[in-house]
Amino acid sequence: MSNEEMALKLNEISKAKKQYNKLKAKIEQLQDDLKQEMINRGQEEEIIGDYTVQCISYDCAQFDMNRFKEEHGRLYKRFAVPTTRRRLTIR
């Protein structure tokens, strides 16, 4: 692949990322608006047109890897599995 072909692909990636970010932000804003409206209505589930909308609160637990690593370093090293990944960075 020539540098010109790579430049075209990089430009295409840049445009697609901009479109993606705009759409993602729009979707997140619309979802936040719906969540807030469900909270304001005091509803967890509602049928609106062809859609069933749910806004349910739930608790979950997340593993704090950084804290575990700090407090139990040797145990962390014993179970940590080294992997190799490849990252493409475009600036």
Side-chain angles (χ1 to χ4, degrees):
M1 180 182 314
S2 70
N3 281 352
E4 291 158 357
E5 291 171 317
M6 288 182 72
L8 288 172
K9 290 191 183 297
L10 289 166
N11 286 333
E12 194 172 337
I13 288 170
S14 178
K15 288 178 188 176
K17 280 185 175 183
K18 287 177 186 174
Q19 291 173 344
Y20 169 79
N21 288 334
K22 284 181 184 178
L23 286 173
K24 185 178 175 189
K26 183 176 182 175
I27 290 168
E28 288 173 359
Q29 182 60 56
L30 291 168
Q31 288 175 333
D32 288 345
D33 292 347
L34 288 173
K35 285 179 196 174
Q36 189 59 53
E37 182 60 26
M38 295 293 286
I39 291 167
N40 292 344
R41 291 182 181 197
Q43 297 289 329
E44 287 192 343
E45 182 173 28
E46 214 172 313
I47 297 173
I48 301 171
D50 295 335
Y51 303 95
T52 301
V53 183
Q54 291 183 322
C55 184
I56 299 170
S57 297
Y58 62 94
D59 295 325
C60 62
Q62 291 182 293
F63 186 74
D64 187 345
M65 185 180 69
N66 291 329
R67 183 172 167 200
F68 183 81
K69 188 176 178 180
E70 283 178 18
E71 294 180 14
H72 307 283
R74 290 199 307 199
L75 191 57
Y76 171 82
K77 287 178 185 177
R78 188 171 147 207
F79 286 95
V81 179
T83 60
T84 301
R85 296 182 179 165
R86 187 175 299 266
R87 179 184 307 170
L88 177 66
T89 304
I90 301 169
R91 295 184 184 165

